[in-house]
Amino acid sequence: MSKTLSLFSALLCTFIWGTTFIAQDTGMDDIGPFTFNSVRFFVGFLAIIPLALMFEAKKLKKEFRFDTKTFIILSFLIGLSLFLGSALQQVALLYTDVANAAFFTIFYVPMVPIIIFIFKKDFLHWSVWPSVILCLIGGYLLTNFQDATVRLGDTLVVLGALFWSTHIIFTGMIVKKYNLPLTIGAIQTLLVALFSFIIGLFSEEFVIANILNEIDSILYAGILSGGFAFVLQIYAQRNITPAPAAIIFSLEGVFATIAAWFLLNQILGINNLLGCFFILSGVLLSQLVPLIRKAS
């Protein structure tokens, strides 16, 4: 896959994630967060598994020829990170609004390069750090945060951002070793569905009628976000390292704001527009400056 196609995959993935914030919030009118996530990610698994069997079943023996253990470990860590990140985010939406959740979620942008620097000692291009600052400023402006109060939900989203960052890092590790994006996507969605179901079984009521009431939100969040968007993320990270990838993914706040404008008739103020500008500037800085240096 070319770098251009990887960038397109990252942007499309981010667009789906951003618009899914609305479905995540409206999809809990009649069901709990773990019920929502278990059904959502199981729907995502059902959407991906036929494609994985069709296109990657014959590749499994070749890909696992040298090291199956690493694949199992990384797949479990990816699934666990995705479960913890999505669970904390979903529960947080019960206590905070979509704007705050969108802002605090992008805290994975600074977390990714910091974790990589501390544990892997990898070299990071200097453009990552100003890009991170621009994205955080943009996220702040997008949320009208000056009119909100910090609540329990905001703390949960920040904690969730830690696991979104480990999910990005572990995904970057596994795609370097195995060319099985559909299989990895199917495994991680199934793990999240199972973990969510187990917890929901003890803390919530699974009522089919209530689940069907939220079917539109579940299908959108399941098929597009829980299924294909995370596969697109895996495709994207084949040619984009974790730190720049996290910066690109921060555009989900921009897409969430635009979606709220169109779908919920929320007017964009000057702060919101400036927030979009800052995040877009951060993304462009992280992607273009290293290319300019190589060309010179």
Side-chain angles (χ1 to χ4, degrees), residues 231-246:
V231 172
L232 287 170
Q233 176 199 356
I234 295 167
Y235 275 111
Q237 289 194 238
R238 289 183 61 79
N239 286 310
I240 304 173
T241 54

Side-chain angles (χ1 to χ4, degrees), residues 50-65:
L51 298 175
L53 293 173
M54 187 182 306
F55 295 107
E56 295 181 355
K58 295 181 179 179
K59 297 167 55 178
L60 294 179
K61 187 176 180 180
K62 178 182 177 182
E63 292 290 331
F64 295 156
R65 183 171 48 189

